[in-house]
Amino acid sequence: MPLDVVTDLAHGGRWTSLRHGGREWLWRRESPGRHRVAPGDAFVDAGGVEECVPTVRGTPDHGDAWSRPWTRDADGAGETVRCDRFTLTRTLRAAADGVEAAYVLRADPGFRFLWAAHALLDLSEEAVVRARRGAPTRLFPEAAPLLDRPWPDGAPWVAGTWPAPLGLRLDRFGPDDGTAVGAVVDGGRCCVHDGADRLALAVEAEGQPLAVALWRNLAGFPAGRPYRSTGVEPMLGRVFDLADAGPDDAARVPASGEVRWLLTVTADCRCP
């Protein structure tokens, strides 16, 4: 049985539903302000899956595509958003036990970017994330209070290995504890186990850096009015903020002027 996907082209191309049988995988929240955003506005978190490009954190907040209307291509297959420095087209198609999303980003050769399928999932406290054991994993400054060592002065990130970089166990979400941690795990594949349900996510792109970002917000964000949100996010790149990307940490448009990649989401989980 394929996964059923619903998208909202008028409001950033967001994936608003991802269902398999009776299971809705996407977490959502009421955010009326989302309907009034314009490019450059602060991010309005409505849940679902956001297309974050050309950055996730930084400027513009959560990228430049989520705040713009998308259009359906003349052939009825592709969905496109046009931004100041690039154009992104996404084509969704059914696959065995899931869905594939094929992407094409067109921009000037040399243009550097991050992309993340910013998937906020509706998960129980027992949910587990499985990725390749020992995979290099980056932690970001919000993790500093949870580590058993001081954060290096001025460091945008520190590195360890999955599933417990620098002793911080990240493969289990667990109950709310007032913390919020982001991490980026090298490799383009992971699997989520939640009770009897499975969801596998994988990204492929020739010659580009592949990773899976994790956002484990257990009612620690935002300050003042925190809520629980758990993200598992296949990405091109190895950092959240393009401004922090080293030479090998971001995707780059080649001489052809386009980058192509494939996101596959299935309920057939072959864990790394």
Side-chain angles (χ1 to χ4, degrees), residues 2 45 75 87 89 118 121 125 148 153 166 174 186 193 196 199 251 272:
D45 188 5
D75 61 8
T87 298
T89 297
H118 187 278
L121 304 181
E125 295 180 358
D148 59 2
D153 289 343
L166 304 183
D186 270 16
H193 292 210
L199 190 72

Side-chain angles (χ1 to χ4, degrees), residues 4 11 14 18-19 23 37-38 45 54 72 82 86 92 100 142 147 176 198 206 209 221 227 269 271-272:
D4 293 323
H11 303 102
R14 184 170 63 98
L18 181 66
R19 297 188 66 88
R23 169 76 187 245
V37 299
D45 188 5
R72 193 168 301 283
R82 291 172 174 81
F86 64 91
L92 295 169
E100 292 180 343
E142 66 271 11
L147 303 181
D176 292 354
R198 304 287 185 268
E206 185 176 355
F221 177 89
Y227 51 83
C269 186
C271 294

Side-chain angles (χ1 to χ4, degrees), residues 5 7 11 25 29 38 58 60 65 67 81-82 103 144 168 175 204 214 228 239 254:
V5 177
T7 61
H11 303 102
W25 278 99
R29 66 191 289 263
S67 59
V81 61
R82 291 172 174 81
Y103 293 85
L168 178 59
E204 304 169 57
L214 180 72
R228 179 186 179 96
V239 292

Side-chain angles (χ1 to χ4, degrees), residues 13 17 33 62 69 92 101 198 226-227 249 251 263:
S17 180
H62 282 69
L92 295 169
R198 304 287 185 268
Y227 51 83
D249 292 337
L263 170 67

